Amino acid sequence: MEELLDIEHSKEEREDFAGYKISPTMIFFPKNESEVVRIVKYAYTHNIPIVPWGSGSSLTGATACKDCILVDLSKMDKILEINDVDWYVRVQPGVKLIDLYEAVESKGFFFPPDPASFFLCTVGGAISEGSGGMRGVKYGPLREWVLSLRVVLPTGEVVKVGEPLRKNRAGYDLTHLFVGSEGTLGIITEAWLRIIPKPRKKIYTVKVLLPDFSTVAENIIGIRKARILPEFSEYIDADVIRALNRNLNAGLEESEGGMLLISIEEDQLQDLLKVLKGKVEVLEGDEAERLYSLRSQAAIAVKAETRTFYAEDIVVPISKLPEAISKLNEIAKKHNTKFYIISHIGDGNLHPNIVVDDEKEKEEIFNEIAKVAIDLGGSVTGEHGVGIQKAKMMSEQIKSHNGERVLDLMIGIKKMLDPKNIMNPDKYVELAYKFK
Ligand SMILES: Cc1cc2nc3c(=O)[nH]c(=O)nc-3n(C[C@H](O)[C@H](O)[C@H](O)COP(=O)(O)OP(=O)(O)OC[C@H]3O[C@@H](n4cnc5c(N)ncnc54)[C@H](O)[C@@H]3O)c2cc1C
């Protein structure tokens, strides 16, 4: 590896947010695309597994590896252009989302996707995970904001896919093949992302304390039937509220059914208030911002409380939320455990956290919950991706909803782009295929 040692490097063990281990032969910190190319070409020539790293906030073991080359993109952190006519921002992959928000906001723009890890995760990591977030209800996941990418392929070739245009029908949509590819098809070195003007309408945050867990489904279904479109509808259960109070001094009022937090434009506020059930309070200003920030730190509070963060990421059709909630209650009762549920409930996306110590039981609970989503016509992952954690259940979902041929197509794409299987191997599609 001597020929690469002029590139900034180190050798250390790492652990991601969920506790998966990374034991690399070497970590490189490239400063530009040509350094990435050199590293990838070396790995390709010498058949060494190579894994991109953003900030390690993945929850599924997506960067876990042993005897690999880890490519830490954190030094490629420049915002290269904010185009105020074509309305895009061009960035390097190591830019943190929080810095991107600040930069575009200072020019009167808004980049809506906000995974709750926005204060630490990078653009490259969030694109590669196909991240969602809180404002997904109104603005959709990050996928919908990616226009074009530069990618170093596993062979070391560089491609630019897509165009920084709102409309572009030239060829297969390769840009969105790389979105959500979890670092298994190449390393993103530049991204063009869509931005919009900062919204001008006044936005309120509505807090609803709920008498029980099932009332949250009633509220969300009521909102949908009334044709109301919030910016976000977030839910945390009673144990998460307690974890926030105990570990982050949140000072939140406790409620056995948990808390629903809805962000809504002023012209829809009165209609919203008519359909809500529970103890309702309308907030604006500092308190609204404080609650948004506490919601985004809920996973940190749960980890501090339980010393673990093993989160599901199931999605169910919103019409099926009542059944999903009743099944989750049954599973918790059967295993005599709590789930510390954090949820982008407005998207039907729930994150029950499994806090049992016994590894076998943990796996059992995980699979039982994932099966609920599959049986209800949902998905085992809405936004966290698959990594190692969900490969088996991803395979189950695709076999059940799409058919085995779709797994064949996916592995075919992986083999075509990564003929030596060096790019983040042994996870995601490749691992799911082994469960075929
Ligand atoms: C507190 C907390 C809250 C979270 N909340 C949400 C949420 O609300 N919504 C949501 O969707 N997710 C959420 N997540 C998980 C989410 O997957 C990550 O936070 C984020 O998207 C990953 O960004 P990262 O920079 O940390 O990437 P990493 O974890 O370092 O990497 C993630 C994946 O991307 C790959 N990768 C990284 N950079 C590149 C690159 N330049 N090119 C190619 N591949 C690359 C890696 O190999 C890996 O497969 C949360 C996580 C935490 C810890």
Side-chain angles (χ1 to χ4, degrees), residues 174-338:
L174 296 183
T175 310
H176 290 95
L177 176 63
F178 288 102
V179 178
S181 64
E182 302 190 13
T184 64
L185 300 180
I187 302 185
I188 296 164
T189 49
E190 215 167 288
W192 284 255
L193 306 169
R194 190 157 75 87
I195 49 177
I196 53 173
K198 261 204 285 199
R200 288 159 205 241
K201 281 189 194 159
K202 189 164 178 179
I203 294 177
Y204 291 93
T205 296
V206 181
K207 178 175 90 174
V208 191
L209 295 180
L210 303 163
D212 51 55
F213 185 17
S214 41
T215 316
V216 74
E218 270 181 63
N219 275 312
I220 297 302
I221 289 173
I223 292 170
R224 300 279 290 195
K225 284 195 166 162
R227 279 63 167 163
I228 294 167
L229 183 60
E231 190 181 50
F232 63 72
S233 308
E234 293 290 305
Y235 172 75
I236 51 175
D237 76 8
D239 292 306
V240 177
I241 297 178
R242 278 190 278 274
L244 280 162
N245 284 343
R246 279 205 282 257
N247 299 285
L248 301 181
N249 272 332
L252 295 170
E253 185 179 339
E254 296 187 7
S255 168
E256 269 325 291
M259 180 171 83
L260 177 61
L261 210 56
I262 303 170
S263 159
I264 193 85
E265 286 171 352
E266 60 180 336
D267 53 1
Q268 298 184 80
L269 178 65
Q270 291 310 319
D271 289 347
L272 175 71
L273 294 178
K274 280 184 209 145
V275 298
L276 291 178
K277 295 197 169 93
K279 186 177 165 198
V280 176
E281 194 181 342
V282 180
L283 308 165
E284 51 185 316
D286 290 349
E287 185 58 6
E289 269 174 41
R290 190 180 84 90
L291 284 185
Y292 172 80
S293 160
L294 283 170
R295 159 58 193 94
S296 67
Q297 293 176 71
I300 295 192
V302 171
K303 191 172 173 185
E305 179 83 3
T306 64
R307 286 185 294 285
T308 177
F309 198 74
Y310 195 71
E312 297 262 4
D313 177 32
I314 59 165
V315 186
V316 296
I318 288 165
S319 55
K320 299 279 168 49
L321 271 175
E323 281 152 273
I325 286 173
S326 115
K327 295 271 181 210
L328 282 177
N329 283 335
E330 275 171 34
I331 297 171
K333 205 165 162 202
K334 176 175 150 197
H335 291 275
N336 191 24
T337 187
K338 301 171 172 188

Side-chain angles (χ1 to χ4, degrees), residues 16-18 51-59 62-63 71 73 93-94 114-134 181-184 186-189 234 295-300 309 313 344 349 351 382-385 424 427:
D16 67 15
F17 186 87
V51 178
W53 168 282
S55 78
S57 67
S58 150
L59 299 172
T63 53
V71 184
L73 280 310
D114 59 344
S117 52
F118 65 84
F119 51 92
L120 50 113
C121 77
T122 64
V123 167
I127 293 175
S128 303
E129 288 291 2
S131 287
M134 298 177 278
S181 64
E182 302 190 13
T184 64
I187 302 185
I188 296 164
T189 49
E234 293 290 305
R295 159 58 193 94
S296 67
Q297 293 176 71
I300 295 192
F309 198 74
D313 177 32
H344 306 299
N349 188 192
H351 302 313
E383 52 176 28
H384 293 170
N424 207 358
K427 36 188 96 89

